[in-house]
Amino acid sequence: MEQPLDFLVDKVVAELHKKLAELGEKAPEPKAAAAAEAKAKAEPQQEATLAPVAPHPQETHAAPAEPERTAQIPNPKWKEGLEELLASTPARIGVWRTGVRPLTKTMLQLRRDHAAAVDAVYGEVSQEVLDQFSLFTVETQYDNTENYLKRPDMGRILTEEGVRLLQERCQKRPQVQIVVSDGLSASAVEANLKDVLPSLMDSLKSYGLSCGTPFFVKGGRVASMDHIGEILEPEVLVLLIGERPGLVTAHSMSAYMCYRPRKGMVESERTVISNIHRQGTSPIEAGAHIGTILAKMLEQKASGVKLVL
């Protein structure tokens, strides 16, 4: 699942309802009961939210396009328009409120997703995943995560040791060079590589294209493909890299492609497929499509804005 921590949110909400049910069994003082009744009449939506019953369907996690999400706003003035908006975006809209704050479950989901985004940036791709595809590791001059975030330029240049490893272990002047990098989301590589890479390799094979020696770049930025291009001189290069995580997903990957990458290239010379994850561009479909684009790059000897797709 894209968000495997949903069960934790459900567990916390269930515990809250259990505590509220226990409190409801205690007889309140007369003055307190009168005050509670007056408050319930003034804020009926808050009473409904805190009632000791099972969670309302409106607070359960659902895919963005599912109509039941509209139940979070009681009696919307334009129900059809709200459903259309919810079907068009996974963003947090129409989540409703209790009093002046969001619903408890909405807040818990928000904090969960923020934590997942932080983990994606500060996490590391497991060696097990890299070993699965026989990817050896080279590093950029990023030094550490804090420096990586403040100095993007240091994520564009490989270390001297990294350059030496490429010269020793990689095929020179390959037709296609595949590079994988954690970028801003190690979680994206963990979640998508097992689908994207095999699909890409199958696609290259179907087009009769040969591939060089794939490897992993730790602390890489998009422009690290230019330095790699200077070293290995591939005809085309594809960089599978983790995107900046957001509150919709922390698992999004991008594929940057370039014809004869080299230092001094401008961004308009790159072709990119973004939002590769299970709620966006399907990882398997993305791998196949990347192969098609690389074949067109080789045919037209171009990439970026000069490439005709």
Side-chain angles (χ1 to χ4, degrees), residues 127-257:
Q127 189 60 45
E128 182 180 353
V129 171
L130 301 180
D131 290 343
Q132 182 179 352
F133 298 102
S134 302
L135 302 176
F136 68 93
T137 300
V138 299
E139 295 191 16
T140 67
Q141 298 178 4
Y142 79 104
D143 190 38
N144 57 64
T145 303
E146 293 298 331
N147 200 52
Y148 174 84
L149 297 173
K150 297 173 183 176
R151 292 286 305 276
D153 56 305
M154 298 185 74
R156 298 168 186 155
I157 306 297
L158 302 186
T159 61
E160 292 183 4
E161 175 65 13
V163 173
R164 185 187 65 79
L165 283 173
L166 293 192
Q167 292 172 337
E168 290 180 356
R169 302 184 63 172
C170 289
Q171 175 187 335
K172 303 295 174 55
R173 298 183 180 85
Q175 191 174 28
V176 177
Q177 177 63 54
I178 297 174
V179 181
V180 180
S181 181
D182 46 5
L184 285 163
S185 176
S187 300
V189 177
E190 294 268 357
N192 299 301
L193 191 63
K194 62 182 180 296
D195 291 324
V196 173
L197 192 52
S199 176
L200 170 56
M201 298 300 289
D202 288 345
S203 184
L204 294 178
K205 185 177 180 180
S206 70
Y207 283 104
L209 303 179
S210 62
C211 181
T213 312
F215 59 91
F216 176 74
V217 176
K218 188 174 182 179
R221 292 280 183 172
V222 172
S224 64
M225 61 195 303
D226 301 347
H227 191 196
I228 295 168
E230 292 276 336
I231 300 167
L232 299 180
E233 300 180 18
E235 287 192 64
V236 292
L237 185 149
V238 54
L239 174 65
L240 303 173
I241 189 169
E243 292 180 2
R244 178 179 286 105
L247 295 177
V248 170
T249 180
H251 302 158
S252 188
M253 173 186 281
S254 286
Y256 285 86
M257 294 159 276

Side-chain angles (χ1 to χ4, degrees), residues 256-268:
Y256 285 86
M257 294 159 276
C258 192
Y259 179 75
R260 292 189 175 173
R262 60 207 175 277
K263 289 184 179 179
M265 296 197 72
V266 295
E267 297 308 309
S268 62

Side-chain angles (χ1 to χ4, degrees), residues 21-37:
E22 293 173 355
L23 291 172
E25 293 175 358
K26 298 178 181 179
E29 295 293 330
K31 291 183 179 180
E37 183 179 357

